[in-house]
Amino acid sequence: MKNFVEEALAQGKRIDGRDFLSFRKIEIVENVSKKAEGSALVKMGETKVIAGVKMDIGEPFKDSPNEGILIVNAEFSPISSPNIEPGPPDENAIELARIVDRVIRESHSIDLEKLFIEEGKVWTVYVDLTVLDMKGNLVDACVLSSLKALWNAKIPKIEDGKIVREEFSGKLPMVYKPVTVSICKYNNNFLIDPTDVEEELINAKLVVGVRDDDKICAIQKQGWGTFHISEIERCLDLAIEKSKELRRLI
Amino acid sequence: MKNFVEEALAQGKRIDGRDFLSFRKIEIVENVSKKAEGSALVKMGETKVIAGVKMDIGEPFKDSPNEGILIVNAEFSPISSPNIEPGPPDENAIELARIVDRVIRESHSIDLEKLFIEEGKVWTVYVDLTVLDMKGNLVDACVLSSLKALWNAKIPKIEDGKIVREEFSGKLPMVYKPVTVSICKYNNNFLIDPTDVEEELINAKLVVGVRDDDKICAIQKQGWGTFHISEIERCLDLAIEKSKELRRLI
Amino acid sequence: MKNFVEEALAQGKRIDGRDFLSFRKIEIVENVSKKAEGSALVKMGETKVIAGVKMDIGEPFKDSPNEGILIVNAEFSPISSPNIEPGPPDENAIELARIVDRVIRESHSIDLEKLFIEEGKVWTVYVDLTVLDMKGNLVDACVLSSLKALWNAKIPKIEDGKIVREEFSGKLPMVYKPVTVSICKYNNNFLIDPTDVEEELINAKLVVGVRDDDKICAIQKQGWGTFHISEIERCLDLAIEKSKELRRLI
Amino acid sequence: MGKKTNIQLMVDGRRIDGRLPEQLREIEMKIGEIENADGSARVRFGNTEALVAVYGPRSLFPKFLQESDMAILRVVYSMAPFSVDERKNPAPDRRSIEISKVTKDALSGAVFLEEFPRTVIDVYEYIIQADGSTRVTAINAASLALASAGIPMKDLVAACSVGKIGDVLIVDLCGKEDNYSESDMAVAMMPSKGLITLLQMDGRLTKEEVLQLLKKAEENCKKIYEMQKKALLEKFKVVGED
Amino acid sequence: MGKKTNIQLMVDGRRIDGRLPEQLREIEMKIGEIENADGSARVRFGNTEALVAVYGPRSLFPKFLQESDMAILRVVYSMAPFSVDERKNPAPDRRSIEISKVTKDALSGAVFLEEFPRTVIDVYEYIIQADGSTRVTAINAASLALASAGIPMKDLVAACSVGKIGDVLIVDLCGKEDNYSESDMAVAMMPSKGLITLLQMDGRLTKEEVLQLLKKAEENCKKIYEMQKKALLEKFKVVGED
Amino acid sequence: MGKKTNIQLMVDGRRIDGRLPEQLREIEMKIGEIENADGSARVRFGNTEALVAVYGPRSLFPKFLQESDMAILRVVYSMAPFSVDERKNPAPDRRSIEISKVTKDALSGAVFLEEFPRTVIDVYEYIIQADGSTRVTAINAASLALASAGIPMKDLVAACSVGKIGDVLIVDLCGKEDNYSESDMAVAMMPSKGLITLLQMDGRLTKEEVLQLLKKAEENCKKIYEMQKKALLEKFKVVGED
């Protein structure tokens, strides 16, 4: 299998027939968990991830007393792959969660100031991601499902200082729709939306977060490979271009 | 040893001479730990378990602001068997604790409302179980020692909102004396109070919790074996009958 | 190496040329971490340990409402030896931290009552030790670096009940300069400041904490070896004598 | 269960979600959605939904865990943090560990483990949304996932919950009924021979009431069993009682 | 120790529990109560009670932990959650880990470990009730448990605590004395040759005071040693000083 | 970064610590201080200081972790509890785990791992004091430690941080700039061929701004690279720009 994929890549082809700069078919199912304030299942080809938003009343951080709190967590479910054992998140799951966190946070996609409740009380927004089928390009799929879940999320009603579950006071104050485009470098070529087998063969990936106004809100290089500045420039162009396709889905 | 026990069982006998529906000799030592609010050591044949009750002032749960809190914990001490390693409770110890918890709780054996202290303050009742010699039928022995310890337990005195250790304001408000009878199915026979070796040979056990008024307060099937409804009925009859022998010991 | 060291010891010599009752060269660098309230790096021959003091506002213990709190923690960094794996402190690191804690505490070296802030608020003094190069006699080096860091430490300024970092209101209220001298028994000889290789060969060590007034504030026997009372007496004499050399360095 | 509440669980013969006492919720069963798994299934009872993947039989390491004459079946039950009212910490809690254990007992008896000595069969259960009866919903899915992985079984395992509100027996408890009904019971069985593989009960019931509930459970396990068989045949099916 | 208190530890020459300064509490030693263990003993000093089981010598895995020329002795000290005033979390804390470590040192020197290369001897100590001096009480029990497991020893290890209230030396500290006396010392030894295997001291003492305490400890270890030998002979014994 | 603050990060063309926008802090590089390690280095940028030790190539157990055709490089980044304002718990947090992971990626590409199949090279990073840019400071030290351990490398890895305050590009961010500047970027590279091995960026930048920052980072990595080479030659060096 791996050899077959490698041979194809060497010839500038992919075994699923896509060209290098095409996404797999993307399908999004919203509101998949009724208990969540917002949720979305994203299928990117065979990759499947689910994101859910829960909200709770919390204390603000000392250095931002008027802002809500965002907490992003990611798990690789043992459901998703024969190689994943049950247990706490490993370094890859933690890196994934932290990239998603930075994309949401640095893009200012949520207006956190609107999540102030009263002196000493703000909303905490939990975004929980679970990878259900590990078939490549997890970051892009997770950012997409997180943003979809956030844009759908409703704020629970508060009565007498307590949350009334299953009643809502409005939508989450969302501003931007950032997405990431992860670009793999293979020989001197670039390709997007890699499958799990392609990822095994490729050791240089650049994750680029792009906001609606084409601003770059996050970059993370992954893998042992290296990039020249000129290659980074090419990746940024590609990311800006391809980000529009993903953003339309949110 | 195992073969010997199996042969006996096949002939309707037990190697310790008991018939199938007899308990081993049961001995109870009360008040074995002076620091505990209540405690009891139960010896059921060679099986030995100890239960201790500690009380502390705590916050009530949100959905029961006027009730005390019960917390049951069980440990298999490495003292108890060559097969137990030191460490946090495994799935068997956790299941054991949760069965004991449900028997105490579902039988309404403690009048938790009497453990209300004042707005926002209630008694937390900790029942800690340790298995000291793992020779079979742990659930029945642990329920028995827990109930014995609870029925002996005294409530510490409170002065200026703080607990005064070694002084007491009364007994724990106990109402019922639930016990469990664990019934093993071997071929088409039923037997109670299995030894550790018998338990290795038998893969279907029904733990039945019975209250003073013969009401069933908990059932848990254990092992890979299966039961027909008619067999469950037979077990319930047996449990109700044999529970009286155990209840007399509390 | 080990054989060579052993042969030397048998002849009453040490391969680094020291006699049995001499310390290796000791070097102390103060204030090695600007973020710490106090810090010191101690080099004892090739052994290197670092101590840092951090202070925070905390709640006093119930049984000493007017006293500050001391917390000592020690880590063996994986930097320090090929035999140390990253992870939580093992029994040796925990024993080390607890000995250092007792020397500081039992000698009354800090006037904890002066760390009272106001009803329900006291200073918590954290002493964090990290072993950076594990070349023997860790206890003596760690006690020395802790005391040096404590004697240098400054108390942060408080404004409106909050700590203002990088401003200070005075020095930590230090009273005594306890040190430990660890004495190894080898055959019928005693030696101090053992190297790591010497420690592997010697299985009886007596750690003796000595205060400025020659009072013994802590003793801990280490290793499988044994001591007669008369040998303990000899060790106490030695410890009192050699402690003066270390105390001068604080 | 049995927590005190002002909530009326039964009004005019209708349950809190509008169902009749013996009415199951809308049931959906879907097989084979996880590409990486050897077998998988998703089962939804109303707003309770479980996704289950099976990996194995596969080699088991370290070796001392192997059984020389049979496969080991392992079960891990876990819940999405967003599947419940208050966000759940994803680390396994005591309840999840107990459910994993009794589920292992409930499934092991149905699988021909002796055909795969020295191996392990891993069953991973994941609750996407939780509105009561999660353990039985997950067992229904697990049974389908095992079958779809081609693992030989004596029979499918079907499972449901039953309970009691006042004098009324109810089936397929939703979340509020789980919390506040007087007694409840979780039952799993191999329906063709009436063999019970899981039984847990809490509450205060006479012997007769226990047996009534058991019979009600058996009836409904048989209905669910038929749906499971259909789902396996069609590999896609939405069924229900509404 | 040395915590501030208004409690008077010594009144009219009597200690807080009525004992004379050099009086041991009532001592009970019982051997062989744990059927599953290779050796076991229970020792009670007043309201301090330790139960100890020994397993081994037995194989040690993984192999890299083995010593090619001797057995390894491992010790785990733990306390019942209900053995102290405030319920103790059963997870091992730093104090328990240190006590396990120094106890391992105290016992290893007394056992002929070289007779059992590549094996492990596990000593599990469990404190049932804690009223001071738990580590020495547990060492006394551990020594009996090792002997009753048939493990060859150079000598029994006997242990006791000693301390100082004002100018008075006391032996066998109870809980309040542990917390509030100025200085205390835990000593274990092989009494027949006067070889100290454990020594821990806290407080502020002159060299002379340390030596006085040590001599007092030796005297009492010898008394305890006699009781241990009796207990081993009779396999049941209640002895004491009251 | 990008937290709100009243702090003025730039006044009259000077940064909060007095530096010019493109000025590095005082830099110290010292090699070989840890006797037990196969290689070690300490690097200080102002009040940010990292100590790094390298152990390996050495055998890797358990065996299933080995790669048959190359060495594995492992990185553990950790911080002294006293290296930051509020005492840091020494257990690894999520930030440390991510830094360890990206640092592993940043170094692995520079080492000839294929020369040491089945082994592991362990890189342990320890932050003694933290005033911003800790991950790049640690990478500079790690690269020196690897070289001083005699491990063959394609090139040294040099690293620095760059950022943006208003319209001004800055290099080598201190702690307050790390927290409050609008955008920042961490870059590591093998300077002789301009190959970027680590790149992380946060903020809101146009494509052109990203590229400007990258060029600034490259310039400064080259300066640091020269210092690294000097330090390796002399095994002791204090260099800087002040």
Side-chain angles (χ1 to χ4, degrees), chain E residues 27-66:
Chain E
I27 294 172
E28 184 185 4
M29 295 181 177
K30 210 158 172 188
I31 288 170
E33 295 183 324
I34 304 302
E35 300 292 334
N36 269 331
D38 295 317
S40 67
R42 184 167 54 81
V43 170
R44 185 175 62 77
F45 276 53
N47 290 335
T48 292
E49 188 168 8
L51 177 66
V52 177
V54 166
Y55 288 89
R58 56 181 174 178
S59 309
L60 178 56
F61 296 103
K63 277 197 170 180
F64 71 83
L65 294 175
Q66 297 178 357

Side-chain angles (χ1 to χ4, degrees), chain B residues 21 181 214 234 236-245:
Chain B
L21 299 178
V181 180
D214 288 352
R234 173 85 178 105
L236 297 179
D237 285 332
L238 276 173
I240 290 170
E241 180 195 333
K242 304 305 291 187
S243 68
K244 297 177 204 309
E245 291 181 34

Side-chain angles (χ1 to χ4, degrees), chain C residues 29-33 36-42 48-54 73 100 126-132 141-150, chain F residues 80 82 126 128:
Chain C
V29 190
E30 296 179 58
N31 202 13
V32 285
S33 186
E37 269 70 89
S39 62
L41 173 74
V42 165
K48 281 169 211 80
V49 304
I50 191 170
V53 173
K54 285 299 298 178
N73 183 58
V100 174
Y126 292 95
V127 176
D128 279 285
L129 288 155
T130 307
V131 175
L132 298 177
C142 284
V143 170
L144 192 56
S145 64
S146 300
L147 265 293
K148 191 74 185 176
L150 285 165
Chain F
F82 48 80
Y126 184 69
I128 295 171

Side-chain angles (χ1 to χ4, degrees), chain A residues 54-56 71-73 75 126-128 165, chain D residues 80-90:
Chain A
K54 285 299 296 180
M55 298 187 65
D56 212 340
I71 296 175
V72 179
N73 183 57
E75 305 258 321
Y126 293 96
V127 176
D128 279 286
R165 296 285 172 194
Chain D
F82 49 80
S83 66
V84 284
D85 278 336
E86 310 287 326
R87 184 206 180 238
K88 194 197 166 299
N89 186 308

Side-chain angles (χ1 to χ4, degrees), chain A residues 72 91 95 98 102 106 108 113 211 216-221 223-224 226-229 237, chain F residues 1 3-4 70 94 98 101-102 104-105 193-194 196-197 199-205 207 218:
Chain A
V72 179
E91 59 173 24
E95 187 197 22
R98 286 178 58 84
R102 285 199 293 266
E106 296 293 327
H108 295 175
E113 292 200 350
R211 202 165 72 165
I216 311 298
C217 57
I219 304 179
Q220 180 109 334
K221 201 215 92 182
W224 302 0
T226 58
F227 287 86
H228 277 283
I229 291 186
D237 284 333
Chain F
M1 76 277 9
K3 285 187 192 158
K4 278 173 198 156
M70 63 190 303
R94 286 161 41 118
E98 188 198 5
K101 197 264 181 185
V102 295
K104 180 184 66 182
D105 286 346
K193 297 204 176 156
I196 293 170
T197 69
L199 177 55
Q200 291 185 289
M201 176 251 155
D202 297 328
R204 291 149 307 280
L205 295 177
K207 176 197 147 189
E218 186 172 33

